Amino acid sequence: MANYFTGRQTKNSKNAYETPNTAYNNNGYYGSPLKTLFNQYANDPEDRDKAPEKIGPNGIMRLLTDLRLDAEDRKVLILAYMMGAEVMSEFSWEEWEKGMNAMGANSIDGLRRKLDELDRGLKTNSHFGPLCKFTFTYGKMAGSRNLDLDTAIIFWKILFKDQFPLLGLWEEFLTTKYKKAITKDAWNQTFEFADAIKPDFSNYDPEESWPTVLDDFVNWARKRFANK
Amino acid sequence: NQRKANATIDEIWQDLEAGLQHIYRKEPMIPQRYMQLYTYVYDFCTAVSTHAGQGIPQQQQKNLIRGNNNNKKSANMQNETDFVGQELYNKLTNFIKNHVESILKESKTRTGVDQLRYFTTQWDQFTFCSRVVDGIFAYLNRHWIKRELENGNNNIYVIYTLALVTWKQTLREHMATSIVGGVLDLIEQERQGIAITSSLVKGVVDCLVELGIDEVVDSNNAAESTKAVNPKLRVYKKLFEDKFILATEAFYVCEAAAFLQGNPVPEYMKKAESRLNEEKFRCETYLHRSSLQPLERKCEEVLITAQLELFQTEFCVLLENDRDEDLGRMYSLCERVEGGLDELRKAMEAHVQKQGLNALEKVKEQANTDPKTFVLTLLEVHNRYSKLVEVHFKNEAGFVQALDKAATVFINKNCITHAEGSNAVSSSKCPDMLARYCDGLLRKSAKNSEDSEMEELLNQVMIIFKYLEDKDIFQRFYTKKFAHRLVGSLSASDEAEQSMIGKLKQMCGFEYTSKMQRMFTDTGLSRETSEKFSEKCSNSGKALGCNFNVMVLGANSWPSLGSSVPLNLPYTMSTCVSEFTSYYNEMHQGRKLTWIFSHSKGEVVASCFSKRYAFVAMTPQMAILLLFNSCTEMDGKTMLEGLQIKKEHAIPQLASLVKAEILQVKEGDVANLDETTKIALNLKFTNKKMKVDLTKFVARSEVKQEQQEVHQHVEENRKMVIQAAIVRIMKTRKTMAHSLLMTECINQLNSRFKPKVQMVKKCIDILIEKEYLARVDGQKDTYEYLA
């Protein structure tokens, strides 16, 4: 199981100590259902040092258990995306509040239902593109321009589920030939590629605006097809 | 003759008719008689008002006139004249009609040339006589007819026109069949080589053209007016030209088929060419000029367009056999029809490409190593076909382009540049060969060409250069060779060098040659600097002990000449070096001099041999030789200590002197060069010449390395150049579609090298990553420039 949700302390959490105050202002009274829910997971004893006044890695694990979600479920990414989470394995109060309001949920059951709904409609609603773009920024190391190859592959698997038949081949190419971090453009264009190109590459034209990593991939894969 | 004041129509007509008959018989007429006839008409027309009321009641008359005329007032004033004019007009019409009918009757009794002769003669007479009659009826023309025309009466004509219209109406059928048929027979006879009286054809043609006199633009028939047919020519076109064109087509379809059965295509082309000329001449001689275009179109269609496939097949055969004149003829024929040249251009391109490749294949062995063979072979093929295109294809743009395409292929991609088993470096083979060929031309040698000849040779080089895809690689090779020529004073002439730089600059721009130009300048300045330095030394009384020349080369403009190898110079030379260094530093503060001894040379005199020899030697060779001033034999270790030079640099220099037989190895091996190696002066050295050039004995190991070095630099440099170009384009365009950016970028760089699509795309990748560019939201094929 991938450990991408834990232990990668990346960006420094800004204004961590100010968050409780804003809760009063926005909700009118202390102890709104959202805040109560937040507090169930925030300030977990083991997270307190790393992420004070936030839901930290352990809090998130408990949340996922309550939501009956596996860490590699796409809904976990959708949750982070809806929250607009800045740092992996952390939700601040603002993120929590904004995300829950956007989803119109104020309970674990409500959240679970909403996530199911969003996930089911992902191919047709307008969230898929932004979710993919979000994932790149969410998943990369702070200060790095590109996304680690291993992380990228894990996220692709989560995002695509079974909708990209060439994913296995793509993974093989990237890990055995390419062996570099994925640029933002290559990341984004892979989704375009998955959407537009037939599995036999018959409509792929290397003169078009695809990034060269995809040209190289198609070239490599075509040779493999020919050899078989 | 007495004038009769109130003449009635019947009174005057009898004599008038007699006069008209006289005229149409074309018998001589005295002026008095002519005047008399004129006066009849005048009197009749002017006298009418006085007896107007006689025949017809006034009321009826008015009604009649109202029906004809909208302007009531003027109608009342003119009514009587109108009526009488009509009467006279009708009489005359009838008269002419009878006359023409008699001509028709007579003409029908004749056939062939006889008929044509009768017809044209009658026509000439008729028009002449009708003009006379027109004069007699001038008063009617000027008044009654003029008014009728002004009032829009389309059935009334000026008398002369009336005559022609009558002729046309009466003879139309006869002309359309018999007369035109006769003319077409004549033309066919002439096409078959039988002499004809062309004036008969011309007579009929003129007649038909003139008969268009009354035709006006028919506003109801818009289709005709859009075809822009001059309405005056309608009769000519309809009665004659249409049939003529059909007859022409039938004739040439038959002739072409029959001729091609018994003759080869080149003969056919000659025939077609002369036929086209004949037809043009025919049209100019006796047809109306407006027929030229339809006639030529039809002939071209039948003689050329219909045979295009045949021509195309034959074209390849002619190319194979170098039948230039026939090729030229085919060009001028096919040029006349639309799309006629397309296939020929393609065929020529393929042929030239094949010829180029074959020519190189034939001299493969030699051309692989000898730049001269390589370049001259390419030139020979190119010049052969460029001459063909120039002389026989009139430098037509499409053929020039086809030649260019073919040349680009066989010059850049042939058995030499893409030899089997060659590695990636091979793409530099052609530029390398060309640069070496230039070096051969420009380097001082016994067989240097005359100035004028040199200029021509350099122009020829530029022909190949123009087609070179990797001009940037050529630039590097050329610059290296150029540097060697300058440093070694090996140039045949400064003018030739300058001329070559000028040509490169003209084709590729200032930037391409700016470094070469600076190298040239450096060389000139160095000469001055050396002179000034010597002058200063002699003025200040410092004796250098030798002649000393130095070249100061700007590190930015010159290619790397190899790293500076430290070397312990003999005393005399080291004095020069240090004196000059301080002199130069005084002149130019902040400049750092790096001495490259491996490229400097000098002359030493040896007095230890049987004769007194002068040796031209590289500086390291000199340093070794001068060591033997103190002894005649030494071991390797001592030598290295004396030179203060690394072993691997010393070995080739030493080996060269051993090879030149000045030194000899007594013990051990030069390759080891340590205590065990004993080197001695060969005191028995002899040479026929008094001055011996030792520099040529130094083994040159640089060539391969040079190629690799150049290639590596080029790849890196190209990426930078492409990125710069993309940024430049995007900066001005802000947003741009992928394909347009690719095209624009490749176009801009074409004069330097041919960027590969993948390389340009790679550069786009890099620029997106560096955030110079981004894809426009929702349009993955469009980029925007991020300032």
Side-chain angles (χ1 to χ4, degrees), chain A:
Chain A
M1 155 137 172
N3 63 345
Y4 64 93
F5 258 113
T6 54
R8 191 168 281 154
Q9 195 68 27
T10 47
K11 294 159 196 168
N12 52 344
S13 37
K14 49 163 192 176
N15 300 334
Y17 292 99
E18 291 167 25
T19 44
N21 300 333
T22 56
Y24 289 106
N25 301 340
N26 290 346
N27 288 309
Y29 63 100
Y30 187 73
S32 73
L34 278 188
K35 187 71 189 181
T36 318
L37 208 52
F38 181 75
N39 285 334
Q40 276 182 27
Y41 302 104
N43 294 316
D44 187 283
E46 292 189 37
D47 295 337
R48 191 163 287 169
D49 297 339
K50 287 182 238 161
E53 302 305 321
K54 290 185 178 181
I55 303 180
N58 282 296
I60 287 187
M61 289 313 281
R62 283 196 284 116
L63 173 65
L64 296 187
T65 312
D66 292 346
L67 286 168
R68 284 181 243 130
L69 286 179
D70 190 81
E72 295 202 1
D73 198 305
R74 185 159 73 182
K75 288 165 211 160
V76 181
L77 269 180
I78 298 177
L79 177 64
Y81 158 71
M82 291 307 290
M83 301 267 176
E86 285 230 359
V87 181
M88 246 201 268
S89 310
E90 271 183 33
F91 293 134
S92 68
W93 162 246
E94 291 100 326
E95 288 167 356
W96 176 265
E97 188 194 26
K98 196 180 124 225
M100 293 298 272
N101 283 335
M103 286 185 281
N106 56 8
S107 68
I108 288 295
D109 281 342
L111 182 57
R112 188 189 302 124
R113 255 180 276 121
K114 188 65 196 178
L115 287 174
D116 280 346
E117 185 192 314
L118 282 170
D119 188 51
R120 249 180 284 122
L122 205 53
K123 264 287 147 190
T124 47
N125 67 30
S126 55
H127 285 299
F128 190 67
L131 171 65
C132 297
K133 287 204 167 93
F134 163 80
T135 308
F136 183 84
T137 323
Y138 184 63
K140 77 183 173 63
M141 303 269 261
S144 161
R145 218 194 267 277
N146 299 329
L147 185 60
D148 274 359
L149 184 54
D150 293 341
T151 319
I153 290 172
I154 290 163
F155 278 132
W156 268 322
K157 282 183 180 163
I158 294 172
L159 287 166
F160 278 127
K161 285 188 159 177
D162 300 326
Q163 286 151 357
F164 183 26
L166 293 166
L167 187 58
L169 211 55
W170 178 228
E171 180 183 353
E172 187 186 339
F173 169 76
L174 291 173
T175 49
T176 61
K177 300 279 162 200
Y178 186 67
K179 298 182 195 164
K180 275 181 275 185
I182 299 296
T183 66
K184 191 174 178 179
D185 190 52
W187 170 265
N188 290 336
Q189 291 300 306
T190 303
F191 295 100
E192 300 277 349
F193 180 88
D195 198 40
I197 298 302
K198 294 180 185 161
D200 62 353
F201 307 117
S202 56
N203 60 344
Y204 188 85
D205 179 357
E207 304 248 323
E208 283 174 11
S209 68
W210 301 108
T212 46
V213 57
L214 281 164
D215 293 340
D216 295 343
F217 166 59
V218 173
N219 219 348
W220 172 86
R222 273 179 176 159
K223 268 187 204 137
R224 276 187 43 138
F225 287 171
N227 288 341
K228 267 180 190 174

Side-chain angles (χ1 to χ4, degrees), chain A residues 145-146 183 185 189 192 206-213 215-216, chain B residues 738 742 757-758 761-762 765 768-771 775 777 780-781 783:
Chain A
R145 218 194 267 277
N146 299 329
T183 66
D185 190 52
Q189 291 300 306
E192 300 277 349
E207 304 248 323
E208 283 174 11
S209 68
W210 301 108
T212 46
V213 57
D215 293 340
D216 295 343
Chain B
H738 171 78
M742 295 294 288
V757 169
Q758 282 301 304
K761 281 187 68 175
K762 187 107 214 160
D765 279 0
I768 292 180
E769 201 184 334
K770 287 190 191 159
E771 295 182 343
R775 289 177 203 268
D777 259 349
K780 68 181 280 299
D781 293 329
Y783 306 112

Side-chain angles (χ1 to χ4, degrees), chain B residues 135-161:
Chain B
I136 288 169
F137 282 78
Y139 194 82
L140 193 66
N141 275 341
R142 277 204 302 276
H143 296 276
W144 182 77
I145 291 175
K146 189 174 170 226
R147 239 183 348 267
E148 287 296 315
L149 291 176
E150 277 166 2
N151 292 338
N153 188 342
N154 290 331
N155 295 322
I156 301 296
Y157 305 98
V158 172
I159 300 305
Y160 180 67
T161 310

